[in-house]
Amino acid sequence: MNTLSDYSIDWQHLVVLLYALEGMSGDIPTRQRTMEHIQTEQLLELRPEDHLPYRTAQEPSWQTDIAWARKNAVMLGFVNNHEWNSWEVARSGREFLKNILGRCKTKNLLLSRCCLWSLRLKQIVSPGFTPSSTDSVAPPKGNRSMPSLVEYQQLIEEKLRTATIEELATRISRKLGMNIPPTKPSVAYALHVYVMSTI
């Protein structure tokens, strides 16, 4: 089961981020290099409003969206977080991306619903793709907000009285059908995702 709903805004940004990181060569990617690569390779369908900052930020909002995607990717174990400003894709991130690209090639994933992906990216992952008037349109830009994880972090602390973080990670990994890193933030985030998916 996917941790983010297919075609959701966060899912689309996550896939773009992983695709960009996988396509970069040389040193371990940094935030700046990643943003430059996404813009140079035209991986997002950027609108004028994407170049404006969110109310509480100064950078273009699309860059904030990609930074949030990196946060999600770290929590899910898709991007390594061994050192500051390291945006290196992890093996699980490569596997997730490979699965997505495979679904694009077999047309099990509807590119017409990926409204944030550029036409260029769609045609790279599925040669022959042509846009249509029925394709999904990106929703108006809102404010970025991350659901509070405080209650889940507190729950993890309580559960650590009777289990190790490795045991908790194993349990939630089974429920989600993927490997969750044995860290408190990752397990808390995974628990949040699991609960939200059952509502």
Side-chain angles (χ1 to χ4, degrees):
M1 127 181 224
N2 287 331
T3 54
L4 295 172
S5 300
D6 288 357
Y7 312 115
S8 68
I9 300 299
D10 285 336
W11 178 88
Q12 289 185 60
H13 284 131
L14 174 66
V15 175
V16 167
L17 170 66
L18 295 175
Y19 185 86
L21 295 178
E22 184 68 355
M24 295 171 69
S25 58
D27 296 333
I28 293 176
T30 61
R31 178 186 176 119
Q32 181 178 346
R33 282 190 61 222
T34 303
M35 300 301 179
E36 289 171 354
H37 183 81
I38 289 171
Q39 191 164 28
T40 301
E41 295 299 314
Q42 300 173 10
L43 302 180
L44 286 171
E45 192 64 42
L46 295 176
R47 303 162 292 168
E49 60 189 295
D50 293 309
H51 294 283
L52 299 174
Y54 286 116
R55 191 175 60 240
T56 57
Q58 294 183 337
E59 66 187 359
S61 57
W62 74 266
Q63 293 186 16
T64 303
D65 292 333
I66 294 299
W68 277 96
R70 190 239 180 195
K71 181 174 183 176
N72 286 336
V74 168
M75 292 291 194
L76 295 168
F78 291 168
V79 168
N80 293 324
N81 194 30
H82 302 314
E83 57 186 81
W84 180 82
N85 202 20
S86 168
W87 288 45
E88 180 182 32
V89 65
R91 185 178 67 174
S92 57
R94 289 190 178 95
E95 291 170 355
F96 175 81
L97 179 63
K98 182 179 178 181
N99 176 267
I100 296 297
L101 296 180
R103 291 173 59 202
C104 289
K105 287 182 179 150
T106 59
K107 308 218 184 308
N108 287 329
L109 192 143
L110 301 176
L111 290 174
S112 61
R113 293 186 59 191
C114 299
C115 56
L116 302 180
W117 297 5
S118 68
L119 175 60
R120 181 174 185 274
L121 176 58
K122 293 175 184 178
Q123 291 177 334
I124 289 172
V125 300
S126 183
F129 171 82
T130 54
S132 161
S133 60
T134 60
D135 290 356
S136 296
V137 177
K141 205 84 171 182
N143 286 317
R144 286 294 328 181
S145 62
M146 184 74 167
S148 173
L149 299 178
V150 173
E151 60 184 290
Y152 295 101
Q153 290 168 340
Q154 291 172 344
L155 181 59
I156 295 302
E157 292 294 341
E158 290 176 16
K159 289 187 174 291
L160 284 174
R161 295 177 188 160
T162 58
T164 66
I165 192 66
E166 289 77 14
E167 291 169 336
L168 295 178
T170 299
R171 288 180 205 164
I172 195 68
S173 292
R174 285 192 195 122
K175 290 185 181 296
L176 288 174
M178 62 179 301
N179 290 323
I180 302 300
T183 66
K184 290 180 186 178
S186 294
V187 173
Y189 180 76
L191 180 60
H192 167 75
V193 168
Y194 175 71
V195 170
M196 293 302 290
S197 71
T198 59
I199 292 176

